[in-house]
Amino acid sequence: MSLVAIGYQPPEQIKAAASAVDIDTSVSSSLAPQTLSVDDLVATRVATNIAESADLPVASNVANLSQSIAAESVLAQNDANIVAKPQVVQASADTRQIQTYTAKAGDTVTDIAKQYHLSPQTIRWANDMESDAVEPGRKLKILPTDGILYTIQSGDSIQSLASRYKANVEQIRTYNDLELGGFKPGKKIIIPSGNLPADERPGYEAPVAPVAANAGIAYGTYGGGNGTGNNYAASVGNRYGFGQCTWYAYERRAELGRPVGSFWGNASTWAYYASAAGFRVDGSPAVGAIMQNGGGYGHVSIIESVNPGVSVTISEMNAYRFGGGFNRIGHGEISWSEAVSGMYQYIH
């Protein structure tokens, strides 16, 4: 006949063992969470069954030991068996506040959007911008999330805005706490993930009959554009002919905080003088760069935005392809294939 003897001490100090053959009342090692094994768990369960069947005085102690080891085998952690309590982070109202950013020289909408983890179009729409080139010192509204900044108008409803801007009714309501503050005309709200229709985007003008291009200038493929009057006044240092493409390029670059030389001659020689002055000149279009082509007097434009692989948006003066002309500024797109075809140089 075999006898079973069980020795018991608090769980953190002993290692329980049971044997149907050998009698062993001594314990030589401590029970540590790092060394829990299947054998420990099985052994204590067997000991519990035997102790309870034999109605031994230590039966309840052994049962407790078995339960503790079972729990520790599940919850054992690398750091002294400590189970970290999950932290609940409460969203702060500050995360929904509109911020203000003051642009620096060389900033672009794309750079600012990356800084705030937003899409470039969110920045453009919130600040009524047609261009990705940003004037230094300009204060920009930065939304807390991608979407549309909208001022509620009389007759609007949450449902009508959601339908119009392809957004979610509940997101509009909860994001702006409209269930608390109400939906009132004149109130500014954010429409999360909203999409502005084309006729509400900055710079939109209703389609007009195409303007014939100057027969003396060869243009490549380009998208529809529009022209605007010239609101610039000649700045100190502008030595170029008033109303010409070079005059406008000088003023636009000064506005962007990226001035160019006053004596670079006709547009056809701008790349040469720019390179001599230390400007980078290459065949890669970039926001804010001057797009220059030679031949005759040449022509210069300003890169306003870049959609790699698709198109480049430019502004220019004294050219007729985008509704511009003498002392009139044209805006429009040229295809990406034309922009990188080698017919233009870019002054950065």
Side-chain angles (χ1 to χ4, degrees):
M1 178 179 294
S2 298
L3 299 177
V4 176
I6 301 174
Y8 175 81
Q9 290 183 9
E12 64 273 15
Q13 296 179 358
I14 71 166
K15 177 179 179 181
S19 173
V21 178
D22 299 321
I23 299 175
D24 184 1
T25 58
S26 64
V27 179
S28 60
S29 62
S30 297
L31 178 62
Q34 294 90 336
T35 60
L36 289 175
S37 68
V38 174
D39 291 340
D40 296 325
L41 186 57
V42 172
T44 54
R45 286 177 177 172
V46 171
T48 299
N49 291 333
I50 294 174
E52 290 177 344
S53 298
D55 197 22
L56 296 178
V58 295
S60 61
N61 291 336
V62 176
N64 289 337
L65 174 62
S66 177
Q67 292 168 354
S68 296
I69 291 179
E72 290 171 1
S73 69
V74 174
L75 300 176
Q77 304 292 310
N78 292 331
D79 185 12
N81 202 33
I82 295 175
V83 179
K85 180 180 180 181
Q87 300 297 310
V88 178
V89 180
Q90 183 175 3
S92 168
D94 291 338
T95 61
R96 288 182 281 171
Q97 296 298 312
I98 298 174
Q99 302 181 60
T100 300
Y101 175 80
T102 303
K104 305 184 299 294
D107 273 347
T108 68
V109 167
T110 300
D111 295 335
I112 298 170
K114 287 180 180 177
Q115 180 178 338
Y116 288 96
H117 307 290
L118 297 171
S119 68
Q121 70 181 15
T122 294
I123 304 288
R124 287 194 294 267
W125 292 349
N127 295 280
D128 195 28
M129 300 175 67
E130 298 180 51
S131 171
D132 283 347
V134 186
E135 303 81 13
R138 179 169 181 170
K139 295 187 181 300
L140 302 177
K141 293 186 285 288
I142 306 297
L143 302 192
T145 188
D146 276 324
I148 300 169
L149 179 62
Y150 182 81
T151 302
I152 299 174
Q153 307 294 317
S154 178
D156 283 339
S157 69
I158 300 177
Q159 291 75 14
S160 68
L161 294 182
S163 175
R164 181 176 173 183
Y165 297 113
K166 295 180 173 56
N168 180 276
V169 170
E170 289 307 316
Q171 284 186 347
I172 296 174
R173 178 181 290 111
T174 57
Y175 197 86
N176 298 281
D177 294 327
L178 296 179
E179 61 273 80
L180 301 176
F183 190 83
K184 304 173 183 177
K187 181 175 183 177
K188 290 185 180 296
I189 63 172
I190 293 171
I191 302 178
S193 302
N195 185 42
L196 270 184
D199 59 358
E200 292 187 35
R201 296 182 183 183
Y204 173 81
E205 290 191 9
V208 295
V211 179
N214 188 321
I217 303 177
Y219 295 126
T221 57
Y222 54 87
N226 57 78
T228 59
N230 174 24
N231 295 320
Y232 290 95
S235 59
V236 175
N238 192 342
R239 298 293 187 266
Y240 300 100
F242 178 78
Q244 303 295 327
C245 62
T246 48
W247 186 94
Y248 168 73
Y250 183 96
E251 294 298 331
R252 180 66 175 133
R253 285 278 292 206
E255 183 181 39
L256 295 175
R258 304 169 66 176
V260 299
S262 300
F263 302 100
W264 287 0
N266 294 322
S268 60
T269 58
W270 271 42
Y272 169 79
Y273 281 110
S275 181
F279 288 77
R280 178 165 61 91
V281 179
D282 58 27
S284 301
V287 174
I290 299 168
M291 184 176 78
Q292 184 261 357
N293 67 311
Y297 293 112
H299 186 67
V300 286
S301 307
I302 302 295
I303 304 293
E304 300 292 349
S305 63
V306 173
N307 188 3
V310 180
S311 63
V312 170
T313 301
I314 66 172
S315 65
E316 61 187 3
M317 184 175 281
N318 201 28
Y320 298 90
R321 54 180 165 176
F322 298 127
F326 177 79
N327 198 35
R328 183 174 174 82
I329 303 167
H331 298 81
E333 293 182 354
I334 65 172
S335 68
W336 182 258
S337 59
E338 177 184 345
V340 297
S341 64
M343 63 187 294
Y344 302 110
Q345 296 189 80
Y346 297 94
I347 303 169
H348 299 275

